[in-house]
Amino acid sequence: MTVQPASHDPHAFIAGLPKAELHVHHVGSASPRIVSELAARHPDSKVPTDPEALVDYFTFTDFAHFIQVYLSVVDLIRTPEDVRLLTYEIARDMARQQVRYAELTLTPFSSTRRGIDERAFMEAIEDARKSAEADFGTVQRWCFDIPGEAGLESAEETARLATDDRLRPEGLVSFGLGGPETGVPRPQFKPYFDRAIAAGLHSVPHAGETTGPETVWDALTELRAERVGHGTSSARDPRLLAHLAEHGIALEVCPTSNIATRAVRTLDEHPLQAFVEAGVLVTINSDDPPMFGTDLNSEYAVAARLLDLDERGLAELAKNAVRASFLDEAGKRRIADEIDAYTARWLAS
Ligand SMILES: [Zn+2]
């Protein structure tokens, strides 16, 4: 083991580094603090309200247990006010990590199916977004994703919510697809992505997390992906890596999530370095951070180790996420300048 000089300990630098996050889920961002507030609102749920007991509750024995806990948190989101509280408090947690801009993936189908009025859902997220931006300075934008396992009915419903001018929230920028990949072929979702793209939304499906590179190809050719969620198995196909690099299609890499879901066996086997060597634009993300015992800062620390990055390298990584975001050019410039100024100050001190 080599001992790094103290000045190369990346944690303090990362903690203050302005960042953008592009792959993080709404319910999956409910921290023990937020879950405790939600559980207190719904005492009939079996979820503990004591934050310390919640830390144990969030310690997963296996993947099935993770799903069980995840669904028990989904069950706490019952009213528009729950949606608002969750969304607003996520922004507070992001601001603490110096996240300036986040594209948060929401699955509106899970809420509307559970009886939350669709218009009230949209109003709740928009109200939370505007209040959080004013109070914390973190800008949130939405990706509405299809829960693939829920079938084409959920795809139809998600496309409708994302494209109906009377419902579609101002903060919505993209359209996604999540859930298991095995047995849920991507091409069947093409008509829904076509509708979303025609309505001006960007295409950002998950692909190649638990299946091979052919799923990433499907996401590119059938769903016209502009970024790919995970894309982990792209590393097995040099032609695909070259295609991603040539077209500037970013991968939303979530290292700790990949270990937790066993998409990758160990961090040392993670293909992040291979992506960078192939010239692919990589962004670092946290996916479902409290559920995987991580946060965005920890993911940057993991990336610093895997890619052997110093402060300048970390600043470039943070700028990759800004570059790959759906912010307008002025918004991108503003955060990139802030990253540069922070890094220059840090290195001069
Ligand atoms: Zn995800």
Side-chain angles (χ1 to χ4, degrees):
M1 186 181 139
T2 49
V3 178
Q4 298 271 336
S7 64
H8 283 168
D9 174 4
H11 293 88
F13 176 77
I14 291 168
L17 179 65
K19 287 173 284 283
E21 178 155 41
L22 308 180
H23 189 123
V24 60
H25 295 263
H26 190 222
V27 173
S29 295
S31 59
R33 178 182 70 79
I34 301 174
V35 173
S36 136
E37 278 192 54
L38 289 167
R41 297 168 66 107
H42 303 295
D44 62 310
S45 81
K46 298 212 166 47
V47 179
T49 53
D50 170 36
E52 274 180 32
L54 270 165
V55 173
D56 286 342
Y57 188 75
F58 272 80
T59 307
F60 308 116
T61 50
D62 57 22
F63 194 65
H65 182 218
F66 160 70
I67 296 291
Q68 197 188 327
V69 171
Y70 191 92
L71 292 177
S72 72
V73 176
V74 170
D75 180 52
L76 292 173
I77 320 292
R78 300 180 189 176
T79 68
E81 184 46 37
D82 296 335
V83 173
R84 190 197 175 282
L85 182 141
L86 172 65
T87 314
Y88 180 81
E89 294 299 328
I90 289 170
R92 187 197 302 276
D93 287 345
M94 288 177 162
R96 284 182 182 145
Q97 298 186 77
Q98 310 304 324
V99 174
R100 299 290 188 266
Y101 173 83
E103 290 173 17
L104 195 65
T105 297
L106 282 71
T107 314
F109 178 75
S110 318
S111 292
T112 56
R113 180 182 48 179
R114 295 167 58 77
I116 297 182
D117 176 73
E118 55 197 34
R119 196 171 299 274
F121 176 88
M122 303 302 176
E123 283 167 7
I125 59 172
E126 285 295 289
D127 182 58
R129 174 175 75 81
K130 289 173 187 163
S131 306
E133 187 171 334
D135 296 348
F136 313 128
T138 296
V139 173
Q140 291 175 319
R141 291 289 180 266
W142 317 129
C143 169
F144 279 1
D145 88 330
I146 301 169
E149 74 282 8
L152 295 185
E153 180 209 345
S154 76
E156 174 59 40
E157 177 75 348
T158 309
R160 184 181 67 79
L161 295 169
T163 59
D164 183 333
D165 286 340
R166 289 159 304 173
L167 285 171
R168 173 183 170 164
E170 210 185 312
L172 184 67
V173 293
S174 61
F175 195 72
L177 168 61
E181 292 175 32
T182 308
V184 187
R186 311 284 97 172
Q188 65 183 315
F189 299 103
K190 179 175 167 32
Y192 309 98
F193 274 78
D194 285 346
R195 273 165 63 189
I197 293 165
L201 296 174
H202 298 282
S203 166
V204 286
H206 287 60
E209 179 184 9
T210 54
T211 57
E214 65 284 355
T215 311
V216 180
W217 281 117
D218 282 346
L220 296 173
T221 57
E222 303 289 323
L223 310 183
R224 293 185 272 161
E226 291 165 70
R227 290 196 316 250
V228 176
H230 298 287
T232 317
S233 62
S234 307
R236 290 191 241 143
D237 182 345
R239 201 168 64 84
L240 175 55
L241 288 178
H243 180 91
L244 294 170
E246 188 191 333
H247 293 89
I249 296 165
L251 296 182
E252 301 160 359
V253 178
C254 314
T256 299
S257 158
N258 293 154
I259 306 306
T261 61
R262 291 165 204 207
V264 178
R265 234 159 39 98
T266 65
L267 277 177
D268 290 325
E269 290 169 60
H270 198 284
L272 181 60
Q273 175 82 41
F275 295 153
V276 172
E277 279 167 12
V280 177
L281 183 62
V282 296
T283 65
I284 295 298
N285 306 273
S286 63
D287 209 5
D288 301 298
M291 309 260 174
F292 297 139
T294 189
D295 59 20
L296 187 60
N297 286 346
S298 304
E299 296 306 288
Y300 269 77
V302 168
R305 183 173 74 74
L306 294 181
L307 299 173
D308 194 20
L309 298 178
D310 60 8
E311 288 88 347
R312 279 196 184 82
L314 280 162
E316 284 309 310
L317 199 57
K319 284 201 276 185
N320 281 359
V322 176
R323 212 168 289 147
S325 76
F326 300 129
L327 264 171
D328 59 19
E329 286 310 313
K332 287 182 182 184
R333 189 69 268 151
R334 202 159 44 239
I335 304 179
D337 286 349
E338 205 194 338
I339 292 170
D340 285 340
Y342 169 80
T343 308
R345 267 198 319 276
W346 179 277
L347 292 174
S349 66

